[in-house]
Short mmCIF file of all heavy atoms in Angstrom, two decimals:
data_model
loop_
_atom_site.label_atom_id
_atom_site.label_comp_id
_atom_site.label_asym_id
_atom_site.label_seq_id
_atom_site.Cartn_x
_atom_site.Cartn_y
_atom_site.Cartn_z
N MET A 110 -164.09 85.85 110.18
CA MET A 110 -162.87 86.09 110.83
C MET A 110 -163.16 86.91 112.07
O MET A 110 -164.05 87.80 112.04
CB MET A 110 -161.95 86.77 109.87
CG MET A 110 -160.68 87.18 110.52
SD MET A 110 -159.74 87.99 109.15
CE MET A 110 -158.44 88.66 110.21
N VAL A 111 -162.44 86.56 113.18
CA VAL A 111 -162.67 87.29 114.41
C VAL A 111 -161.34 88.08 114.70
O VAL A 111 -160.25 87.54 114.60
CB VAL A 111 -163.01 86.28 115.60
CG1 VAL A 111 -163.15 87.01 116.89
CG2 VAL A 111 -164.18 85.56 115.25
N ASP A 112 -161.55 89.27 115.17
CA ASP A 112 -160.33 90.11 115.50
C ASP A 112 -159.75 89.49 116.74
O ASP A 112 -160.39 89.28 117.76
CB ASP A 112 -160.84 91.53 115.88
CG ASP A 112 -159.72 92.47 116.21
OD1 ASP A 112 -158.66 92.07 116.69
OD2 ASP A 112 -159.93 93.67 115.97
N PRO A 113 -158.43 89.16 116.70
CA PRO A 113 -157.82 88.42 117.85
C PRO A 113 -157.76 89.31 119.17
O PRO A 113 -157.62 88.75 120.23
CB PRO A 113 -156.42 88.16 117.30
CG PRO A 113 -156.19 88.97 116.14
CD PRO A 113 -157.54 89.29 115.62
N SER A 114 -157.87 90.56 118.97
CA SER A 114 -157.87 91.46 120.22
C SER A 114 -159.21 91.90 120.63
O SER A 114 -159.33 92.51 121.74
CB SER A 114 -156.96 92.74 119.93
OG SER A 114 -157.53 93.50 118.95
N ASN A 115 -160.25 91.59 119.88
CA ASN A 115 -161.57 91.96 120.27
C ASN A 115 -162.62 90.96 119.59
O ASN A 115 -162.92 91.06 118.50
CB ASN A 115 -161.87 93.40 119.79
CG ASN A 115 -163.31 93.80 120.16
OD1 ASN A 115 -164.18 93.08 120.67
ND2 ASN A 115 -163.56 95.18 119.86
N PRO A 116 -163.11 89.97 120.40
CA PRO A 116 -163.93 89.07 119.84
C PRO A 116 -165.31 89.51 119.32
O PRO A 116 -166.02 88.78 118.65
CB PRO A 116 -164.14 87.97 120.97
CG PRO A 116 -163.79 88.66 122.16
CD PRO A 116 -162.82 89.74 121.84
N ASP A 117 -165.74 90.70 119.66
CA ASP A 117 -166.95 91.33 119.19
C ASP A 117 -166.75 91.82 117.75
O ASP A 117 -167.70 92.17 117.02
CB ASP A 117 -167.51 92.34 120.10
CG ASP A 117 -168.12 91.81 121.30
OD1 ASP A 117 -168.66 90.68 121.29
OD2 ASP A 117 -168.18 92.50 122.33
N ARG A 118 -165.53 92.08 117.32
CA ARG A 118 -165.26 92.58 115.97
C ARG A 118 -165.02 91.40 115.04
O ARG A 118 -164.09 90.74 115.16
CB ARG A 118 -163.98 93.48 116.05
CG ARG A 118 -163.76 94.38 114.84
CD ARG A 118 -162.71 95.31 115.12
NE ARG A 118 -162.43 96.01 113.94
CZ ARG A 118 -161.31 96.66 113.68
NH1 ARG A 118 -160.35 96.73 114.51
NH2 ARG A 118 -161.08 97.27 112.42
N VAL A 119 -165.90 91.33 114.08
CA VAL A 119 -165.81 90.20 113.10
C VAL A 119 -166.02 90.71 111.65
O VAL A 119 -166.51 91.78 111.40
CB VAL A 119 -166.98 89.20 113.47
CG1 VAL A 119 -166.69 88.59 114.82
CG2 VAL A 119 -168.41 89.85 113.45
N TRP A 120 -165.53 89.86 110.73
CA TRP A 120 -165.68 90.13 109.31
C TRP A 120 -166.09 88.85 108.61
O TRP A 120 -165.80 87.71 108.98
CB TRP A 120 -164.32 90.61 108.72
CG TRP A 120 -163.80 91.79 109.35
CD1 TRP A 120 -164.00 93.16 109.02
CD2 TRP A 120 -162.82 91.90 110.45
NE1 TRP A 120 -163.37 93.97 109.82
CE2 TRP A 120 -162.66 93.21 110.71
CE3 TRP A 120 -162.19 90.94 111.24
CZ2 TRP A 120 -161.76 93.72 111.69
CZ3 TRP A 120 -161.40 91.39 112.26
CH2 TRP A 120 -161.17 92.74 112.39
N THR A 121 -166.71 89.04 107.47
CA THR A 121 -167.04 87.89 106.55
C THR A 121 -166.76 88.36 105.13
O THR A 121 -166.89 89.44 104.75
CB THR A 121 -168.52 87.43 106.77
OG1 THR A 121 -168.74 86.36 105.97
CG2 THR A 121 -169.44 88.48 106.40
N THR A 122 -166.34 87.34 104.34
CA THR A 122 -166.15 87.57 102.91
C THR A 122 -166.91 86.53 102.13
O THR A 122 -167.23 85.45 102.74
CB THR A 122 -164.67 87.52 102.45
OG1 THR A 122 -164.14 86.13 102.76
CG2 THR A 122 -163.82 88.49 103.24
N HIS A 123 -167.18 86.79 100.88
CA HIS A 123 -168.01 85.79 100.12
C HIS A 123 -167.14 85.63 98.90
O HIS A 123 -167.09 86.51 97.97
CB HIS A 123 -169.43 86.26 99.75
CG HIS A 123 -170.19 86.62 101.01
ND1 HIS A 123 -170.96 85.71 101.70
CD2 HIS A 123 -170.23 87.78 101.80
CE1 HIS A 123 -171.42 86.23 102.76
NE2 HIS A 123 -171.02 87.53 102.82
N SER A 124 -166.62 84.37 98.71
CA SER A 124 -165.77 84.22 97.59
C SER A 124 -166.47 83.85 96.27
O SER A 124 -165.99 84.01 95.20
CB SER A 124 -164.87 82.92 97.88
OG SER A 124 -165.63 81.81 98.11
N GLY A 125 -167.77 83.56 96.39
CA GLY A 125 -168.62 83.41 95.12
C GLY A 125 -169.57 84.60 95.01
O GLY A 125 -169.87 85.25 95.96
N TYR A 126 -169.97 84.86 93.82
CA TYR A 126 -170.88 85.93 93.53
C TYR A 126 -172.23 85.50 93.97
O TYR A 126 -172.70 84.38 93.77
CB TYR A 126 -170.91 86.29 92.12
CG TYR A 126 -169.60 86.77 91.57
CD1 TYR A 126 -168.89 86.22 90.59
CD2 TYR A 126 -169.04 88.01 92.15
CE1 TYR A 126 -167.63 86.64 90.15
CE2 TYR A 126 -167.84 88.46 91.65
CZ TYR A 126 -167.23 87.86 90.66
OH TYR A 126 -165.90 88.27 90.26
N ARG A 127 -173.03 86.46 94.52
CA ARG A 127 -174.44 86.21 94.80
C ARG A 127 -175.13 86.22 93.52
O ARG A 127 -174.76 86.91 92.54
CB ARG A 127 -175.01 87.26 95.74
CG ARG A 127 -174.38 87.19 97.11
CD ARG A 127 -175.11 88.00 98.13
NE ARG A 127 -175.15 89.39 97.76
CZ ARG A 127 -175.58 90.38 98.50
NH1 ARG A 127 -175.91 90.08 99.78
NH2 ARG A 127 -175.57 91.60 98.10
N ALA A 128 -176.30 85.54 93.41
CA ALA A 128 -177.08 85.44 92.18
C ALA A 128 -177.44 86.83 91.76
O ALA A 128 -178.04 87.63 92.45
CB ALA A 128 -178.30 84.60 92.39
N GLY A 129 -177.13 87.19 90.52
CA GLY A 129 -177.48 88.44 89.94
C GLY A 129 -176.60 89.59 90.32
O GLY A 129 -176.89 90.74 89.94
N SER A 130 -175.49 89.39 91.07
CA SER A 130 -174.68 90.44 91.53
C SER A 130 -173.22 90.14 91.23
O SER A 130 -172.73 89.21 91.82
CB SER A 130 -174.83 90.74 92.96
OG SER A 130 -173.95 91.70 93.43
N PRO A 131 -172.54 90.95 90.38
CA PRO A 131 -171.11 90.67 90.10
C PRO A 131 -170.14 91.29 91.12
O PRO A 131 -169.00 91.26 90.90
CB PRO A 131 -170.97 91.28 88.76
CG PRO A 131 -171.87 92.47 88.76
CD PRO A 131 -173.07 91.95 89.60
N LEU A 132 -170.68 91.88 92.14
CA LEU A 132 -169.78 92.64 93.08
C LEU A 132 -169.22 91.80 94.14
O LEU A 132 -169.80 90.79 94.60
CB LEU A 132 -170.64 93.79 93.65
CG LEU A 132 -171.25 94.76 92.72
CD1 LEU A 132 -172.14 95.74 93.41
CD2 LEU A 132 -170.21 95.47 91.92
N PRO A 133 -168.08 92.10 94.71
CA PRO A 133 -167.46 91.45 95.85
C PRO A 133 -168.31 91.83 97.06
O PRO A 133 -169.02 92.75 97.13
CB PRO A 133 -166.11 92.11 95.95
CG PRO A 133 -166.26 93.45 95.44
CD PRO A 133 -167.31 93.35 94.29
N HIS A 134 -168.19 90.96 98.10
CA HIS A 134 -168.96 91.11 99.31
C HIS A 134 -167.99 90.90 100.47
O HIS A 134 -167.53 89.82 100.76
CB HIS A 134 -170.13 90.15 99.31
CG HIS A 134 -171.03 90.29 98.26
ND1 HIS A 134 -171.93 91.38 98.14
CD2 HIS A 134 -171.17 89.61 97.10
CE1 HIS A 134 -172.61 91.27 96.99
NE2 HIS A 134 -172.15 90.14 96.32
N VAL A 135 -167.76 92.07 101.25
CA VAL A 135 -167.06 92.01 102.55
C VAL A 135 -167.99 92.76 103.53
O VAL A 135 -168.42 93.86 103.34
CB VAL A 135 -165.73 92.77 102.35
CG1 VAL A 135 -164.97 92.75 103.68
CG2 VAL A 135 -164.85 92.16 101.25
N HIS A 136 -168.14 92.13 104.68
CA HIS A 136 -169.01 92.71 105.69
C HIS A 136 -168.35 92.68 107.04
O HIS A 136 -167.47 91.87 107.33
CB HIS A 136 -170.27 91.98 105.77
CG HIS A 136 -171.18 92.12 104.58
ND1 HIS A 136 -171.09 91.19 103.48
CD2 HIS A 136 -172.06 92.99 104.23
CE1 HIS A 136 -171.92 91.58 102.63
NE2 HIS A 136 -172.48 92.69 102.94
N ALA A 137 -168.68 93.65 107.94
CA ALA A 137 -168.12 93.69 109.26
C ALA A 137 -169.16 93.89 110.29
O ALA A 137 -170.22 94.38 110.08
CB ALA A 137 -167.11 94.82 109.33
N GLY A 138 -168.85 93.42 111.53
CA GLY A 138 -169.72 93.63 112.67
C GLY A 138 -168.91 93.96 113.90
O GLY A 138 -167.77 93.57 114.04
N THR A 139 -169.43 94.76 114.80
CA THR A 139 -168.79 95.14 115.96
C THR A 139 -169.53 94.59 117.19
O THR A 139 -169.17 94.99 118.30
CB THR A 139 -168.68 96.68 116.06
OG1 THR A 139 -169.93 97.26 116.01
CG2 THR A 139 -167.81 97.17 114.94
N ASP A 140 -170.54 93.78 117.00
CA ASP A 140 -171.29 93.20 118.06
C ASP A 140 -171.34 91.68 118.00
O ASP A 140 -172.33 91.13 118.31
CB ASP A 140 -172.69 93.85 118.09
CG ASP A 140 -173.45 93.61 116.87
OD1 ASP A 140 -172.99 92.87 115.90
OD2 ASP A 140 -174.57 94.12 116.65
N GLY A 141 -170.20 91.12 117.61
CA GLY A 141 -170.19 89.73 117.48
C GLY A 141 -170.91 89.01 116.40
O GLY A 141 -171.18 87.83 116.31
N GLY A 142 -171.36 89.85 115.40
CA GLY A 142 -172.05 89.37 114.26
C GLY A 142 -173.57 89.50 114.21
O GLY A 142 -174.24 88.99 113.41
N ARG A 143 -174.10 90.07 115.29
CA ARG A 143 -175.55 90.31 115.31
C ARG A 143 -176.04 91.32 114.28
O ARG A 143 -177.14 91.19 113.76
CB ARG A 143 -176.01 90.79 116.74
CG ARG A 143 -175.83 89.61 117.74
CD ARG A 143 -176.42 90.03 119.13
NE ARG A 143 -175.58 91.05 119.73
CZ ARG A 143 -174.51 90.91 120.42
NH1 ARG A 143 -174.10 89.61 120.60
NH2 ARG A 143 -173.83 91.85 120.98
N HIS A 144 -175.21 92.32 113.96
CA HIS A 144 -175.50 93.26 112.89
C HIS A 144 -174.27 93.50 111.98
O HIS A 144 -173.16 93.33 112.43
CB HIS A 144 -175.85 94.64 113.44
CG HIS A 144 -177.03 94.67 114.37
ND1 HIS A 144 -176.93 94.36 115.79
CD2 HIS A 144 -178.32 94.78 114.17
CE1 HIS A 144 -178.13 94.39 116.28
NE2 HIS A 144 -178.99 94.60 115.36
N TRP A 145 -174.50 93.64 110.66
CA TRP A 145 -173.42 93.70 109.73
C TRP A 145 -173.49 94.98 108.87
O TRP A 145 -174.59 95.51 108.64
CB TRP A 145 -173.49 92.51 108.79
CG TRP A 145 -173.34 91.17 109.39
CD1 TRP A 145 -174.31 90.39 109.96
CD2 TRP A 145 -172.08 90.54 109.73
NE1 TRP A 145 -173.72 89.27 110.53
CE2 TRP A 145 -172.37 89.30 110.42
CE3 TRP A 145 -170.75 90.87 109.49
CZ2 TRP A 145 -171.38 88.46 110.89
CZ3 TRP A 145 -169.74 90.00 109.92
CH2 TRP A 145 -170.12 88.84 110.62
N ARG A 146 -172.31 95.47 108.54
CA ARG A 146 -172.33 96.54 107.52
C ARG A 146 -171.42 96.20 106.39
O ARG A 146 -170.50 95.42 106.52
CB ARG A 146 -171.91 97.85 108.24
CG ARG A 146 -170.44 97.96 108.72
CD ARG A 146 -170.20 99.24 109.42
NE ARG A 146 -168.97 99.15 110.10
CZ ARG A 146 -167.82 99.60 109.68
NH1 ARG A 146 -167.71 100.29 108.56
NH2 ARG A 146 -166.76 99.48 110.36
N ASP A 147 -171.77 96.68 105.24
CA ASP A 147 -171.06 96.43 104.04
C ASP A 147 -169.75 97.23 103.83
O ASP A 147 -169.80 98.47 104.03
CB ASP A 147 -171.94 96.67 102.77
CG ASP A 147 -171.39 96.32 101.49
OD1 ASP A 147 -170.29 95.73 101.39
OD2 ASP A 147 -172.09 96.52 100.43
N LEU A 148 -168.61 96.54 103.71
CA LEU A 148 -167.37 97.17 103.52
C LEU A 148 -166.84 97.11 102.08
O LEU A 148 -165.74 97.48 101.83
CB LEU A 148 -166.33 96.58 104.45
CG LEU A 148 -166.49 96.54 105.91
CD1 LEU A 148 -165.36 95.96 106.73
CD2 LEU A 148 -166.66 98.06 106.39
N SER A 149 -167.64 96.59 101.22
CA SER A 149 -167.20 96.33 99.83
C SER A 149 -166.73 97.53 99.10
O SER A 149 -165.79 97.47 98.35
CB SER A 149 -168.27 95.67 99.00
OG SER A 149 -168.79 94.53 99.74
N GLY A 150 -167.34 98.71 99.42
CA GLY A 150 -166.87 99.98 98.70
C GLY A 150 -166.62 99.84 97.23
O GLY A 150 -167.51 99.41 96.52
N ASN A 151 -165.45 100.29 96.83
CA ASN A 151 -165.21 100.19 95.42
C ASN A 151 -164.21 99.12 95.04
O ASN A 151 -163.35 99.28 94.15
CB ASN A 151 -164.59 101.61 95.01
CG ASN A 151 -163.28 101.95 95.74
OD1 ASN A 151 -162.87 101.23 96.60
ND2 ASN A 151 -162.62 102.98 95.28
N LEU A 152 -164.28 97.93 95.78
CA LEU A 152 -163.46 96.82 95.41
C LEU A 152 -163.73 96.40 93.97
O LEU A 152 -164.93 96.55 93.43
CB LEU A 152 -163.73 95.63 96.37
CG LEU A 152 -163.32 95.83 97.77
CD1 LEU A 152 -163.77 94.57 98.69
CD2 LEU A 152 -161.72 95.83 97.91
N PRO A 153 -162.81 95.79 93.21
CA PRO A 153 -163.05 95.37 91.91
C PRO A 153 -164.05 94.16 91.91
O PRO A 153 -164.20 93.55 92.92
CB PRO A 153 -161.72 94.87 91.41
CG PRO A 153 -160.89 94.71 92.61
CD PRO A 153 -161.40 95.59 93.67
N ALA A 154 -164.69 93.94 90.81
CA ALA A 154 -165.73 92.88 90.68
C ALA A 154 -165.01 91.58 90.65
O ALA A 154 -164.83 90.89 89.60
CB ALA A 154 -166.62 93.09 89.47
N ALA A 155 -164.58 91.06 91.81
CA ALA A 155 -163.86 89.75 91.91
C ALA A 155 -164.20 89.21 93.31
O ALA A 155 -164.40 89.99 94.24
CB ALA A 155 -162.37 89.96 91.72
N PRO A 156 -164.17 87.92 93.44
CA PRO A 156 -164.41 87.32 94.74
C PRO A 156 -163.34 87.76 95.78
O PRO A 156 -162.23 87.87 95.40
CB PRO A 156 -164.36 85.81 94.51
CG PRO A 156 -164.43 85.62 92.97
CD PRO A 156 -164.03 86.92 92.38
N VAL A 157 -163.70 87.77 97.00
CA VAL A 157 -162.84 88.00 98.14
C VAL A 157 -162.64 86.70 98.97
O VAL A 157 -163.64 86.24 99.44
CB VAL A 157 -163.23 89.18 98.99
CG1 VAL A 157 -162.27 89.39 100.10
CG2 VAL A 157 -163.34 90.50 98.14
N ASN A 158 -161.47 86.18 98.95
CA ASN A 158 -161.27 84.90 99.69
C ASN A 158 -160.67 85.05 101.07
O ASN A 158 -161.00 84.24 101.94
CB ASN A 158 -160.41 83.94 98.86
CG ASN A 158 -161.02 83.59 97.49
OD1 ASN A 158 -162.17 83.21 97.52
ND2 ASN A 158 -160.31 83.79 96.45
N ASP A 159 -159.80 86.04 101.30
CA ASP A 159 -159.16 86.15 102.56
C ASP A 159 -159.06 87.60 102.99
O ASP A 159 -158.99 88.49 102.19
CB ASP A 159 -157.74 85.63 102.39
CG ASP A 159 -157.70 84.17 102.10
OD1 ASP A 159 -158.19 83.39 102.84
OD2 ASP A 159 -157.17 83.78 101.02
N LEU A 160 -158.94 87.69 104.31
CA LEU A 160 -158.73 89.08 104.94
C LEU A 160 -157.69 88.89 105.96
O LEU A 160 -157.60 87.76 106.64
CB LEU A 160 -159.86 89.72 105.57
CG LEU A 160 -161.11 90.13 104.73
CD1 LEU A 160 -162.26 90.61 105.57
CD2 LEU A 160 -160.60 91.29 103.85
N VAL A 161 -156.80 89.89 106.23
CA VAL A 161 -155.81 89.84 107.18
C VAL A 161 -155.96 91.15 107.96
O VAL A 161 -156.05 92.23 107.42
CB VAL A 161 -154.34 89.76 106.55
CG1 VAL A 161 -153.28 89.86 107.66
CG2 VAL A 161 -154.29 88.47 105.82
N VAL A 162 -155.93 91.02 109.32
CA VAL A 162 -155.99 92.21 110.18
C VAL A 162 -154.51 92.56 110.45
O VAL A 162 -153.76 91.86 111.06
CB VAL A 162 -156.68 91.85 111.52
CG1 VAL A 162 -156.64 93.13 112.36
CG2 VAL A 162 -158.08 91.38 111.29
N ALA A 163 -154.15 93.73 109.81
CA ALA A 163 -152.81 94.25 109.98
C ALA A 163 -152.75 95.15 111.20
O ALA A 163 -153.71 95.28 112.02
CB ALA A 163 -152.44 95.01 108.79
N ARG A 164 -151.57 95.70 111.41
CA ARG A 164 -151.44 96.60 112.61
C ARG A 164 -152.45 97.76 112.58
O ARG A 164 -152.96 98.13 111.59
CB ARG A 164 -150.07 97.24 112.50
CG ARG A 164 -148.96 96.27 112.84
CD ARG A 164 -147.56 96.91 112.85
NE ARG A 164 -146.66 95.90 113.04
CZ ARG A 164 -145.33 96.11 113.17
NH1 ARG A 164 -144.86 97.38 113.05
NH2 ARG A 164 -144.49 95.08 113.26
N ALA A 165 -152.83 98.10 113.77
CA ALA A 165 -153.82 99.16 113.99
C ALA A 165 -155.24 98.73 113.44
O ALA A 165 -156.10 99.66 113.20
CB ALA A 165 -153.36 100.55 113.35
N GLY A 166 -155.41 97.50 113.22
CA GLY A 166 -156.83 97.02 112.81
C GLY A 166 -157.10 97.24 111.39
O GLY A 166 -158.27 97.12 110.95
N ILE A 167 -156.10 97.57 110.51
CA ILE A 167 -156.40 97.76 109.08
C ILE A 167 -156.50 96.44 108.43
O ILE A 167 -155.72 95.51 108.68
CB ILE A 167 -155.22 98.63 108.51
CG1 ILE A 167 -155.17 99.95 109.12
CG2 ILE A 167 -155.35 98.71 106.97
CD1 ILE A 167 -153.87 100.81 108.79
N LEU A 168 -157.55 96.34 107.53
CA LEU A 168 -157.72 95.15 106.83
C LEU A 168 -157.00 95.14 105.50
O LEU A 168 -156.90 96.09 104.89
CB LEU A 168 -159.20 94.97 106.48
CG LEU A 168 -160.12 94.74 107.64
CD1 LEU A 168 -161.54 94.64 107.14
CD2 LEU A 168 -159.76 93.45 108.45
N THR A 169 -156.42 93.97 105.12
CA THR A 169 -155.75 93.83 103.82
C THR A 169 -156.31 92.44 103.21
O THR A 169 -156.78 91.63 104.03
CB THR A 169 -154.27 93.72 103.95
OG1 THR A 169 -153.85 92.62 104.73
CG2 THR A 169 -153.65 95.03 104.52
N SER A 170 -156.25 92.30 102.01
CA SER A 170 -156.80 91.05 101.34
C SER A 170 -155.72 90.42 100.58
O SER A 170 -154.62 91.01 100.32
CB SER A 170 -157.95 91.27 100.55
OG SER A 170 -157.72 92.17 99.52
#
């Protein structure tokens, strides 16, 4: 997903679990996706299918 107000700000989610890992996966980049950081934090162990950029750039799922 690309931030509609800043094309360098991007996010990705993984709806399926990676092999051997029951954790959700949400990542963000501020350079168009050249580098990523993990935003998964303490999300419950469930796939993440969608993100929405709310006001002030806050993410909701």
Side-chain angles (χ1 to χ4, degrees):
M110 173 178 172
V111 178
D112 185 332
S114 64
N115 180 354
D117 283 333
R118 190 171 176 201
V119 295
W120 300 273
T121 182
T122 65
H123 304 271
S124 60
Y126 297 117
R127 293 191 303 190
S130 176
L132 302 175
H134 301 284
V135 179
H136 295 89
T139 56
D140 57 7
R143 288 184 293 277
H144 299 91
W145 296 93
R146 66 184 168 99
D147 187 1
L148 299 180
S149 303
N151 62 353
L152 290 172
V157 177
N158 294 311
D159 298 300
L160 290 176
V161 174
V162 181
R164 290 184 184 181
I167 297 171
L168 294 178
T169 62
S170 62

